[in-house]
Amino acid sequence: MSNAAGSSAGAPKTALITGITGQDGSYLAELLLDEGYYVHGIVRRSSTFNTDRIDHIYIDPHNEDARLFLHYGDLTDGQNLTNLVLNIEPDEIYNLGAQSHVRVSFDAPVYTVQTTAVGALNVLEAARQLNKKKPVRVYQASSSEMYGDVLETPQTEKTPFQPQSPYACAKVYAFHQTVNYRHAYDLFACNGILFNHESPRRGETFVTRKITRAATRIKLGLQDKLYLGNLDAKRDWGYAKDYVRGMWLMLQHDTPDDYVLATGETYTIRQFLDYTFEHLELDWKDYVETDPRYFRPTEVDLLLGDYSKAKNVLGWEPETSCKELAKLMVDHDMELARSEMAGANLA
């Protein structure tokens, strides 16, 4: 199924995104469509639809204006991935798919490694096969969690990794395989070492979205308490929409390399609680309680990224502060809470 929009001179590019239904995948799909790409996404087969984040940009493929196409697949199925890549013949592949929840990775370490580590290897191998026929560029979603028990602050592209979770270990494996394929097979492959990036599309089990979702429900009387784990953990939080632009810029550069994307500022979970509840004119200390079940077996206490290389080489900088991000998320989740309240009143 070679796309008519191949990469010949002047023709639109074609991109393939794993994890397209996730936070980053949906923002990236929007960006690529705005840039004139044909976009293909891989979704896992399920008895229920999980495409909420991309429904607003999806057009029936029978429509001649359609430029977004979805395919069933799974990162653990290497043969299927290779078949898809060879059929679609993308110019760019963005591997954003993974079991990406750090706390869950302690409960499901084998599955985490199969999707996050071996899944990345499957993508790289599929790209290597395509690269024999035509050039392809690969973006691998790496993570600041790889730094783990950090050896220096701030963290740069040269900071050694000390992963502290099954998820982080899997990401380290994927990082090194990406570098290996770049050197061994001359594949244009980049690692984006992204620090925590959030948005209104963040999953509700991730701490920032858990906070903004609960705070708005508390404001409207739909919820009484919010239970969290370690409130002193420090994170470098940015806006996912800013970060996908950095992913794209990496694959537009002349040479493949690895880049940190971050804000260069760090905040505790307590501070994020401050920003969230202040925007709602509430004091979080009246509603938040600590639950030991949310503590990780091994904790990462401080993450702070230095994005100088991305700024100097790619011209990338974050545009949204942590406080602005919290407001964005609260305003979005307040609308959800109001809809929930209206539904409850009608019941």
Side-chain angles (χ1 to χ4, degrees):
M1 193 185 69
S2 178
N3 198 297
S7 56
S8 58
K13 291 182 182 178
T14 299
L16 174 64
I17 305 173
T18 72
I20 193 171
T21 59
Q23 168 188 252
D24 293 4
S26 64
Y27 283 121
L28 179 62
E30 287 177 348
L31 183 151
L32 294 176
L33 289 171
D34 287 344
E35 292 291 335
Y37 281 63
Y38 282 76
V39 178
H40 294 257
I42 295 177
V43 296
R44 284 176 295 173
R45 176 73 180 95
S46 172
S47 59
T48 57
F49 287 109
N50 185 30
T51 57
D52 293 356
R53 294 184 179 99
I54 57 172
D55 283 346
H56 65 290
I57 55 175
Y58 185 77
I59 298 174
D60 190 304
H62 298 97
N63 189 317
E64 63 181 14
D65 296 325
R67 288 189 291 118
L68 174 62
F69 307 93
L70 302 180
H71 309 265
Y72 287 124
D74 195 295
L75 286 170
T76 62
D77 186 347
Q79 185 60 61
N80 175 250
L81 274 177
T82 298
N83 291 342
L84 284 171
V85 167
L86 293 178
N87 286 336
I88 295 167
E89 295 189 354
D91 302 294
E92 299 170 3
I93 300 174
Y94 296 84
N95 182 32
L96 311 184
Q99 190 302 99
S100 59
H101 198 288
V102 176
R103 181 62 190 85
V104 170
S105 77
F106 287 100
D107 300 324
V110 175
Y111 176 70
T112 299
V113 168
Q114 288 171 339
T115 56
T116 308
V118 180
L121 180 60
N122 287 336
V123 170
L124 289 165
E125 184 57 20
R128 181 173 77 90
Q129 298 301 325
L130 176 59
N131 209 45
K132 296 175 182 178
K133 297 172 57 180
K134 57 157 284 185
V136 60
R137 298 186 173 195
V138 180
Y139 171 85
Q140 167 59 29
S142 292
S143 168
S144 59
E145 288 287 334
M146 300 187 304
Y147 295 118
D149 188 11
V150 297
L151 294 175
E152 63 179 7
T153 299
Q155 293 88 52
T156 73
E157 292 82 3
K158 296 182 179 179
T159 302
F161 301 138
Q162 287 213 128
Q164 298 291 298
S165 67
Y167 168 76
C169 291
K171 282 293 187 182
V172 170
Y173 175 92
F175 175 94
H176 286 301
Q177 285 289 11
T178 301
V179 174
N180 180 53
Y181 269 66
R182 185 164 72 219
H183 294 159
Y185 302 117
D186 197 28
L187 180 67
F188 192 112
C190 300
N191 282 293
I193 308 173
L194 271 57
F195 281 66
N196 291 67
H197 47 289
E198 319 296 316
S199 76
R201 299 180 191 175
R202 188 60 144 154
E204 294 183 17
T205 59
F206 290 86
V207 68
T208 51
R209 187 77 196 289
K210 185 176 179 181
I211 289 170
T212 59
R213 192 79 173 90
T216 53
R217 297 185 82 250
I218 288 169
K219 179 69 175 180
L220 297 185
L222 296 169
Q223 185 171 330
D224 298 322
K225 293 288 184 181
L226 168 60
Y227 297 93
L228 297 172
N230 180 13
L231 302 185
D232 297 314
K234 295 180 179 179
R235 293 293 183 269
D236 183 329
W237 276 308
Y239 183 26
K241 197 168 184 177
D242 294 343
Y243 284 49
V244 299
R245 183 169 47 84
M247 300 176 188
W248 177 70
L249 287 171
M250 290 179 207
L251 296 196
Q252 310 318 303
H253 195 59
D254 293 337
T255 54
D257 208 343
D258 308 317
Y259 298 90
V260 164
L261 299 186
T263 69
E265 298 178 354
T266 190
Y267 300 86
T268 64
I269 291 173
R270 293 178 190 275
Q271 287 173 291
F272 195 87
L273 284 164
D274 284 337
Y275 294 150
T276 298
F277 280 79
E278 280 174 9
H279 187 49
L280 295 167
E281 300 180 331
L282 297 173
D283 184 347
W284 64 265
K285 298 181 185 68
D286 295 332
Y287 306 99
V288 175
E289 294 187 11
T290 300
D291 186 338
R293 81 180 73 184
Y294 297 123
F295 283 85
R296 300 176 184 177
T298 48
E299 184 59 85
V300 174
D301 295 317
L302 169 63
L303 291 174
L304 174 63
D306 179 350
Y307 65 91
S308 300
K309 181 178 176 181
K311 179 180 180 180
N312 295 333
V313 178
L314 305 176
W316 180 87
E317 289 188 84
E319 298 177 359
T320 310
S321 71
C322 185
K323 192 168 187 176
E324 291 168 337
L325 174 62
K327 182 180 183 301
L328 263 174
M329 296 173 67
V330 169
D331 290 345
H332 174 272
D333 285 345
M334 179 54 79
E335 291 304 311
L336 287 184
R338 286 182 179 136
S339 296
E340 184 181 352
M341 191 174 191
N345 291 336
L346 289 173

